[in-house]
Amino acid sequence: MPYQDGMYGCPVEVGLQMLGGKWKPRILFELFQGTRRFGELNRLIPQVSRHVLTVQLRELEESGIVERKVYPSVPPKVEYSITEFGKSLQPVLEQMIAVGEHYIGLKKRETDLR
Amino acid sequence: MPYQDGMYGCPVEVGLQMLGGKWKPRILFELFQGTRRFGELNRLIPQVSRHVLTVQLRELEESGIVERKVYPSVPPKVEYSITEFGKSLQPVLEQMIAVGEHYIGLKKRETDLR
DNA sequence: CCGTATCCGGGCAGATACTG
DNA sequence: CAGTATCTGCCCGGATACGG
């Protein structure tokens, strides 16, 4: 579907969705440390199936956060890396950590009081 | 369920979920401008039903982002406002806007090239 | 090695009707 | 006025099987 004005909701919502996938923060964490092959990511994050990993990586690519590089060799080789724009997201993610930790601390205190 | 170590996933994911509800950014936008009554929010955001608005507000309250104040009068009066912690989220949200706008600009350029 | 195709189950958002 | 109760539909993540 071609772009039309207003076809995406408010930018905040769009941004949240770009990072909001179940495994995206984790994938990004791995890729911030350097380029990784598909199988490497799969080994580094064993809880995610290849299917889901593929989907999440494609969405990150679609968002311009991750670059996918295919080497037409046999056997095939595919490398994933963070784009320049993707690197700019690291501070935001780090702030999200603080937000999440605040909530976790909140719940922990609530329990400790009982 | 009482708090147990590790019962919430990685903090980034938690943080994303805290803000990730369909209407939460919009609600927060309204509340950043000041305290609002339930009905006011409902009028300011006509696309959301009372049911969903209630759910989202309760989740924001649960996250410690929003405070709910009930006046036991007839007719009932309920006011919602941003907590101190909630105010600390404004910069993160603003960064998310930049992220979202980058994506929207990306899609726009892709279409313009055809 | 790096995927695609297909099906399935749970959770969240929406619509609608009712209430202290 | 500010909700609750109930039902429904959809999307996303997960499991499994197959393919270049």
Side-chain angles (χ1 to χ4, degrees):
Chain A
M1 177 134 115
Y3 173 84
Q4 300 173 38
D5 246 39
M7 73 175 290
Y8 305 108
C10 90
V12 191
E13 204 185 320
V14 174
L16 253 7
Q17 276 171 4
M18 287 167 65
L19 300 169
K22 178 91 184 271
W23 299 100
K24 286 175 191 169
R26 180 68 196 275
I27 293 169
L28 258 18
F29 172 76
E30 301 298 343
L31 291 183
F32 278 135
Q33 338 225 354
T35 298
R36 294 284 178 266
R37 296 187 54 175
F38 182 83
E40 275 186 285
L41 287 171
N42 206 177
R43 248 170 289 114
L44 289 163
I45 318 171
Q47 303 94 329
V48 65
S49 69
R50 281 192 310 248
H51 173 69
V52 172
L53 184 57
T54 304
V55 171
Q56 304 267 319
L57 280 166
R58 289 292 150 80
E59 288 177 11
L60 286 170
E61 191 192 0
E62 169 84 10
S63 307
I65 296 173
V66 156
E67 193 191 0
R68 179 168 175 267
K69 202 167 182 181
V70 182
Y71 298 84
S73 57
V74 180
K77 175 178 166 182
V78 182
E79 278 182 354
Y80 292 92
S81 56
I82 299 276
T83 62
E84 279 312 306
F85 171 64
K87 287 177 192 166
S88 76
L89 297 177
Q90 201 157 9
V92 196
L93 261 347
E94 266 155 27
Q95 282 188 291
M96 289 305 291
I97 292 178
V99 174
E101 279 174 346
H102 183 275
Y103 179 80
I104 292 167
L106 194 72
K107 292 297 137 188
K108 189 162 160 47
R109 280 193 302 283
E110 275 179 17
T111 305
D112 289 349
L113 286 176
R114 293 177 198 136
Chain B
M1 176 134 88
Y3 172 84
Q4 299 172 38
D5 245 41
M7 74 174 290
Y8 306 108
C10 90
V12 191
E13 207 185 317
V14 174
L16 254 5
Q17 277 172 4
M18 287 166 64
L19 300 170
K22 178 90 185 275
W23 298 99
K24 286 176 192 170
R26 181 65 197 277
I27 293 169
L28 258 17
F29 172 78
E30 301 298 344
L31 291 184
F32 278 135
Q33 338 226 352
T35 297
R36 295 284 179 265
R37 297 186 53 172
F38 182 84
E40 276 185 285
L41 286 171
N42 206 182
R43 248 172 289 113
L44 289 163
I45 319 172
Q47 305 92 331
V48 66
S49 69
R50 277 186 312 223
H51 174 70
V52 172
L53 183 57
T54 303
V55 172
Q56 306 266 318
L57 280 166
R58 291 291 150 87
E59 288 176 12
L60 286 170
E61 191 191 2
E62 169 84 12
S63 307
I65 297 171
V66 157
E67 194 191 359
R68 180 168 175 267
K69 202 167 182 179
V70 182
Y71 297 85
S73 55
V74 181
K77 173 176 167 182
V78 181
E79 279 182 352
Y80 291 92
S81 56
I82 298 277
T83 62
E84 280 311 304
F85 172 64
K87 286 177 191 164
S88 75
L89 296 177
Q90 200 157 8
V92 196
L93 261 348
E94 265 155 28
Q95 281 187 294
M96 289 307 291
I97 293 178
V99 174
E101 280 175 344
H102 182 274
Y103 179 81
I104 293 168
L106 194 73
K107 293 296 136 189
K108 191 162 158 50
R109 280 194 302 282
E110 275 178 16
T111 306
D112 289 350
L113 287 176
R114 294 177 198 138

